[in-house]
Amino acid sequence: MEQDIISSGYDAVYGSTAKSPTLRRLWHKYAEGLDFPEEFSHISLTTLPELQRISAELRLSADETFVDLGCGMAGPALWVARETGAQLIGVDLSRVATEQASARAAELGLAEQAQFVVGSFTDTGLEANVAAGLMSEDAIQYAPDKRAAMVEAARILRRGGRFVFTVYELDPDRAAGLPILGADLVDDYRPLLADAGFRVETYEETPGWPEPMTTTYSALLDEKEALTEEMGEAAAGALIVELSLTLEHRPYRRRVLIVATRE
Ligand SMILES: C[S@@+](CC[C@H](N)C(=O)[O-])C[C@H]1O[C@@H](n2cnc3c(N)ncnc32)[C@H](O)[C@@H]1O
């Protein structure tokens, strides 16, 4: 039931994001960076150098399959698919996101290389050992049970495969009581990964953190009126509340890039 509420919230986000040129323009300028290819746009803080790093760390070859957990519209994952030639399976709770991701794969000429399924971090619906690599960008902090999410990731990733992801560590003092983020306050993913059968190779903070987030969110809050006009009151209102709450409460301790191998 709670997941239904979260997925309809994300359906609304994805339905309205496409309608707002202001959101897209500011996200591109401050979060993605001006060098990020716009046809692979996203709603995370993934930059082009970081995406190049993620792609390299996955060590995929063209005959392999990789999975993106919480793929959203799948811009970053489709970029990796194009770079490596590997087959992509994108998983997201939002049906609207997976539909947009499928449409985008077709537009980019990558339809044969990509499929998208509705599923959650703890129940992807995928077969065991289906993936040679796993990626995820700025999504797993929303998992209501992160330990179970790591166990599911280990189940679908074959031995020796790499799980490369960015995620926010939650600050237990600041995120407690906040909707969604307050549900499972993990401030260090390493013990969970180790318990689920991963060897952690890399665990690094995003350089310059939290500047990319605060700059992006502040720029958006300065354009409240344009966002409301373009997205409608309900969707813009929900976005504005989330941005303001994040800047005010600072629930994220750090944003980290993690590389872990399935043992
Ligand atoms: C900040 S967005 C990032 C999306 C995408 N990775 C990108 O770079 O644009 C977080 C994504 O996590 C998805 N999500 C949230 N909770 C989830 C869950 N329990 N299981 C699977 N996906 C979830 C949302 O639908 C959303 O698409």
Side-chain angles (χ1 to χ4, degrees):
M1 185 60 199
E2 196 182 323
Q3 287 219 332
D4 288 348
I5 297 170
I6 297 170
S7 63
S8 31
Y10 268 103
D11 284 348
V13 168
Y14 285 110
S16 60
T17 301
K19 293 184 204 144
S20 176
T22 303
L23 177 57
R24 186 84 299 282
R25 177 173 58 79
L26 295 175
W27 205 268
H28 183 60
K29 182 169 179 188
Y30 295 110
E32 294 170 352
L34 293 174
D35 57 349
F36 197 93
E38 291 203 67
E39 65 276 27
F40 294 97
S41 66
H42 56 66
I43 59 164
S44 63
L45 289 183
T46 308
T47 60
L48 184 58
E50 183 176 78
L51 187 53
Q52 288 164 333
R53 166 97 185 270
I54 290 171
S55 184
E57 294 281 11
L58 281 166
R59 300 187 185 161
L60 293 166
S61 53
D63 57 347
E64 292 181 319
T65 295
F66 71 106
V67 171
D68 184 10
L69 297 170
C71 64
M73 299 174 291
L78 285 167
W79 189 90
V80 171
R82 193 191 61 176
E83 284 297 296
T84 60
Q87 293 288 324
L88 162 65
I89 305 174
V91 181
D92 200 281
L93 206 54
S94 162
R95 181 169 297 284
V96 174
T98 57
E99 287 167 0
Q100 290 182 352
S102 295
R104 175 183 249 186
E107 274 163 31
L108 291 166
L110 293 168
E112 301 280 292
Q113 234 180 292
Q115 54 176 300
F116 298 95
V117 297
V118 177
S120 71
F121 298 124
T122 46
D123 183 9
T124 59
L126 302 179
E127 280 173 34
N129 305 315
V130 70
L134 287 184
M135 67 184 283
S136 180
E137 322 82 57
D138 299 354
I140 289 174
Q141 69 278 354
Y142 298 123
D145 183 343
K146 294 170 185 60
R147 185 167 288 277
M150 295 304 152
V151 170
E152 176 67 354
R155 188 186 69 81
I156 63 174
L157 183 60
R158 72 173 194 215
R159 279 179 198 277
R162 286 157 75 90
F163 183 15
V164 184
F165 64 113
T166 57
V167 67
Y168 295 103
E169 293 175 342
L170 295 162
D171 183 328
D173 294 331
R174 293 174 166 274
L178 290 182
I180 302 168
L181 298 176
D184 182 21
L185 296 162
V186 170
D187 62 358
D188 185 342
Y189 291 85
R190 285 168 283 201
L192 276 62
L193 283 160
D195 289 350
F198 288 98
R199 183 176 67 247
V200 177
E201 315 280 2
T202 301
Y203 194 95
E204 9 177 281
E205 182 175 356
T206 299
W209 175 257
E211 191 276 328
M213 183 189 73
T214 49
T215 309
T216 306
Y217 287 17
S218 304
L220 286 166
L221 287 172
D222 286 344
E223 294 287 349
K224 279 184 201 159
E225 279 165 27
L227 294 175
T228 307
E229 206 169 292
E230 292 165 3
M231 298 170 72
E233 293 224 354
L239 175 67
I240 289 163
V241 167
E242 187 183 343
L243 301 175
S244 313
L245 269 181
T246 307
L247 288 182
E248 187 188 331
H249 289 273
R250 302 201 178 237
Y252 302 133
R253 194 171 75 150
R254 305 191 300 171
R255 179 179 183 271
V256 287
L257 171 75
I258 305 174
V259 181
T261 302
R262 173 80 171 94
E263 294 193 298

